[in-house]
Amino acid sequence: MARDRYVKQSLGSLYSRIKQSRVLLVGAGGIGCELLKNLVLTGFGQVHVVDLDTIDLSNLNRQFLFRHEHIKKSKALVAKESAAKFNPYVQLEAHHANIKDSQFNIEWFQSFNIVFNALDNLDARRHVNKMCLAADVPMIESGTTGFNGQVQVIVKGKTECYDCNAKETPKTFPVCTIRSTPSQPIHCIVWAKSYLFTEIFGTSEEEPQEFDHSEDSDNAKEIESLRQESQALKNIRESMGSDDFARKVFEKVFKDDIDRLRSMEDMWKSRTPPTALNFDDINKNASHIDASAICQNDQKTWTKIENFSVFCDSLKRLSFRLQQLQKQDASAAAISPELTFDKDDEDALDFVAASANLRSIVFGIETRSKFDIKQMAGNIIPAIATTNAMTASLCVLQAFKVMRADLSKARMVFLERSGARVINSDTLKPPRPSCSVCGVMSSRLIIDPERATLNNLVEDVLKKQLGYGDEFSINSEAGTVYDPDLGENLSKKFADIGVKAENFLTVIDDEDENPRVNLSLSISEKALPADLDPVQLPGTLEIPRKPKIEATSATNGTVNGDVNGSIGTSPTTMKRKRSVGQPEAEMQQSPKRSKLQRNVKAEAAQSDDAVIADGWDEGTIVIGD
């Protein structure tokens, strides 16, 4: 019987298109593993998998393409190897890389029939969303949190994109980010609480015998490296209570492990590598520090030396407690006593606070006070394998509708454990005209990197060729690079203002009357003949105008029909500059900074602008992806 007999019967004429399709899967974690399995078994002709992360022991309870012998290896490469066994007729390509790398440009995205997004962080999701829109490739977006899941179909010009609706500050964090590439204080806090504390005072993740499951000669070097790491950890635990215990723990997690991470050069191509700490250098300056006094001042942000002192002191206190428990239970049986983290346990909190801050220092992240860290140490909910499997299946079902060009039957699908029904759906909504990502005009911009300046773009392309007036601004991914009051960059080359190939520039028309929609320009670098302008558009552009939105009258004490304290702001009137640190995707509209003096009081009376900071103190932390 042919392998694909039943798939053909189920899909009919669609199967031939599926068999010839070229698919991109971004992410090989919890959802990604299930998705790859489904794609391969369905018979999609060619599947590319992109993932930067490596496999961790904690992944094995839900990411079923991985085994013990795969720990520390590339998720993408191992997923390809495992999934290939399900269907040898599917062509699989794995990329152990960051999807934001310049090699994954718009032309590369355009080579795919459909993209599946199975990522676990907001920034990367927004990037893939923007690239798919620029490449005009349909995307199936997915995500899970505990028992809840969501699947969204995104097609340029026909449905809402990922950024059409404002996203809350993420409160879920993947274990791979926590263990290898932290970028926020909460990542370091979770690492200290859920990994380091458990490793030393709970049940260790890595025991030497766990790495004897593979006899693959190709993996001999990796297996030996893991065995050495495990033996080092075992030696550290066995030396608990000794004079050099603090030194051994410190040097392993803040020096040896950091040196190992730095050796993975591909991981640091687009981010700053961590800096290892030296025990002796810090210790010689810490002799005068009273750790107990430092611990009492929980509102202060401790210095590196103060964190070091608290780390050593709390490690000693916790070690003594665990040893006392071990002595009491020496005659009892098999289960060894252990300590568990409690934010109301001062010894444990001191250790986690100091460890988290030291790791923040290693990765160049802002440190926090002990009080803040106690607030941020929220509940931990594990990722659910069943939710991942259901979400991945729904992704493929929605993809069938997209590939049939039957978008009217595609749905936004939700998994909700608390609802009357586990699976709920909603019709796809059209794009929001005010969206800063899909409500824009997109084009390539070809620049000669040796000759092109920002002035060439402003004068030759935007003003002369496209007819822009004087009132517009240009934003890069880092911030504003030009507006009528910011002309010092005009003479600079694009590289000098941080713009290079595959970056995006957004042109925002600030005219009061009938402004154009935002223009998103994807940069391509190419040496152009001397007789041509150094900045070129690939073709003629007709940029549409922003739709006019009529304000509704105030009712029941609300302004412009808004309720529950929200502020009514139309896309044509909400104009505010983005700071250099603000991500471009969060920029809805840019303000117009007129050269004339504004009546600030009059404007303030008309717009009660409010800034709402999404709090982290009640957030839930999810370990997993």
Side-chain angles (χ1 to χ4, degrees), residues 30-44:
I31 299 175
C33 280
E34 295 287 347
L35 247 177
L36 183 59
K37 174 203 68 179
N38 292 343
L39 295 173
V40 168
L41 291 175
T42 303
F44 281 84

Side-chain angles (χ1 to χ4, degrees), residues 111-124:
S111 69
F112 296 99
N113 299 102
I114 193 167
V115 175
F116 292 89
N117 215 8
L119 288 165
D120 50 26
N121 77 79
L122 187 61
D123 184 56

Side-chain angles (χ1 to χ4, degrees), residues 176-184 187-188 268 359 363 365:
C176 48
T177 299
I178 293 167
R179 292 287 295 272
S180 301
T181 55
S183 59
Q184 302 175 27
H187 296 160
C188 299
W268 312 111
R359 186 166 174 85
F363 284 89
I365 301 169

Side-chain angles (χ1 to χ4, degrees), residues 108-152:
W108 188 76
F109 271 84
Q110 286 174 333
S111 69
F112 296 99
N113 299 102
I114 193 167
V115 175
F116 292 89
N117 215 8
L119 288 165
D120 50 26
N121 77 79
L122 187 61
D123 184 56
R125 278 174 156 168
R126 282 175 161 161
H127 175 79
V128 175
N129 175 62
K130 179 184 288 188
M131 295 299 287
C132 287
L133 291 171
D136 197 8
V137 177
M139 180 177 77
I140 310 295
E141 163 66 34
S142 60
T144 63
T145 302
F147 288 101
N148 296 331
Q150 179 175 317
V151 175
Q152 179 182 5

Side-chain angles (χ1 to χ4, degrees), residues 105 107 444-453 456 494-495 499-502 522-538:
N105 54 28
E107 286 78 12
R444 299 287 281 176
L445 183 70
I446 304 170
I447 66 170
D448 187 329
E450 297 299 324
R451 298 190 294 134
T453 65
N456 295 128
F494 283 83
V499 178
K500 55 186 179 180
E502 307 309 327
S522 175
I523 304 299
S524 292
E525 293 183 348
K526 181 181 179 181
L528 297 171
D531 59 338
L532 292 180
D533 291 337
V535 178
Q536 298 278 330
L537 290 171

Side-chain angles (χ1 to χ4, degrees), residues 311-338:
F311 172 84
C312 295
D313 182 67
S314 59
L315 187 65
K316 183 178 180 180
R317 284 180 271 146
L318 290 167
S319 300
F320 177 78
R321 284 170 52 182
L322 184 58
Q323 287 179 310
Q324 292 300 309
L325 289 174
Q326 291 171 341
K327 289 179 181 178
Q328 294 172 10
D329 295 346
S331 58
I335 300 178
S336 176
E338 59 183 46

Side-chain angles (χ1 to χ4, degrees), residues 15-71:
Y15 181 69
S16 61
R17 268 180 282 167
I18 287 176
K19 197 171 183 179
Q20 297 171 12
S21 64
R22 179 178 160 95
V23 172
L24 172 61
L25 170 60
V26 188
I31 299 175
C33 280
E34 295 287 347
L35 247 177
L36 183 59
K37 174 203 68 179
N38 292 343
L39 295 173
V40 168
L41 291 175
T42 303
F44 281 84
Q46 185 178 130
V47 182
H48 286 244
V49 185
V50 181
D51 199 307
L52 177 64
D53 299 327
T54 55
I55 299 163
D56 190 85
L57 179 65
S58 60
N59 298 148
L60 303 185
N61 72 332
R62 65 194 178 280
Q63 298 175 22
F64 300 126
L65 297 182
F66 308 142
R67 299 290 182 268
H68 276 280
E69 61 265 26
H70 298 142
I71 291 174

